[in-house]
Amino acid sequence: MTEKQVNATSAGAKRQGVTLERTLHDRFGVSALSALTISEVSTLIDELKGNLQSA
């Protein structure tokens, strides 16, 4: 996972007002961002952006 993906995920969760750790657990069954694959991180970023745009 890239540093840019980590930053985008953290920022997106913060903007959404969601707890990243809870989202990781609920959505992917993991407790740390580092446990996700690059593809999973990309999916999460897209979902956070989608939620922001539809709000």
Side-chain angles (χ1 to χ4, degrees):
M1 154 180 20
T2 68
E3 184 176 342
K4 187 174 180 178
Q5 286 177 310
V6 171
N7 293 338
T9 304
S10 297
K14 187 174 183 177
R15 281 191 303 269
Q16 289 295 323
V18 298
T19 305
L20 187 55
E21 291 79 12
R22 180 67 174 191
T23 302
L24 291 172
H25 179 268
D26 292 349
R27 178 68 175 83
F28 298 98
V30 299
S31 59
L33 191 56
S34 60
L36 297 180
T37 66
I38 291 173
S39 176
E40 290 170 330
V41 172
S42 293
T43 298
L44 180 57
I45 291 168
D46 290 344
E47 289 174 2
L48 290 170
K49 285 180 180 179
N51 289 340
L52 183 63
Q53 291 171 356
S54 65

